[in-house]
Amino acid sequence: GLYGLLRKQSKADPIGGLTVEMALCAPVMLGLMVWLGAGERALLLSGTPGQIGLLLLCGAMTVLPLTMFAAAAKRLRLSTIGIIQYFAPTGQFLSALAFGEAFDKARAIAFAAIWVALILFTADSLLHHRNSQRRQRRDAAARVTEMVE
């Protein structure tokens, strides 16, 4: 997606990039906290110590995967990042089935479309890889032939 593309092309290291992202989001989030706090709906301001602790832990648990994603985005092809991002919805789908969530026709069609796209992507990647290897072998053989002549 767009986020993966931006992270891949960014020159910032994972921690620096995440810091910039959070700095951009902070004013909006602080405003939301003030607005919710005014109506006594902000858990951070009105929750029990246990709830506040869990809420703060959620923030830390969010930073770790984002930092890891940013580091991986620098090392992987953009197409690989895209394919990996299909696994999260599939995991959510399987979890929903395990917990008895509704699975109607529209969701079945969407799920099938995602997996057809994954199959097409995988087949195209395999073909591209095979053709690339053939081209490399052919070029290497041509260089050897040129050296012999």
Side-chain angles (χ1 to χ4, degrees):
L2 180 62
Y3 179 75
L5 175 66
L6 293 175
R7 288 302 293 167
K8 181 151 185 74
Q9 293 183 347
S10 168
K11 302 286 186 225
D13 65 287
I15 299 294
L18 189 59
T19 301
V20 170
E21 291 174 28
M22 294 300 110
L24 292 171
C25 292
V28 175
M29 293 298 102
L30 288 173
L32 181 63
M33 283 179 57
V34 168
W35 179 69
L36 289 172
E40 296 182 14
R41 293 178 289 179
L43 184 61
L44 188 60
L45 301 175
S46 62
T48 66
Q51 291 172 326
I52 293 170
L54 286 173
L55 187 60
L56 294 174
L57 183 62
C58 287
M61 289 175 60
T62 301
V63 168
L64 182 64
L66 285 173
T67 304
M68 291 169 64
F69 176 81
K74 297 283 188 191
R75 295 177 179 91
L76 297 173
R77 293 183 335 205
L78 188 57
S79 58
T80 304
I81 295 168
I83 198 85
I84 289 171
Q85 290 180 331
Y86 279 102
F87 292 133
T90 300
Q92 292 169 351
F93 164 73
L94 295 174
S95 296
L97 287 182
F99 290 108
E101 291 284 330
F103 187 66
D104 57 11
K105 185 177 178 180
R107 290 181 180 159
I109 291 170
F111 187 74
I114 288 170
W115 278 97
V116 166
L118 286 172
I119 291 166
L120 291 173
F121 172 81
T122 303
D124 181 62
S125 292
L126 290 173
L127 263 167
H128 177 70
H129 180 70
R130 188 174 355 153
N131 290 339
S132 176
Q133 285 184 329
R134 284 181 186 160
R135 196 173 321 115
Q136 287 175 354
R137 282 193 300 266
R138 186 181 62 236
D139 292 347
R143 281 192 299 275
V144 169
T145 303
E146 287 174 6
M147 290 172 24
V148 171
E149 296 175 349

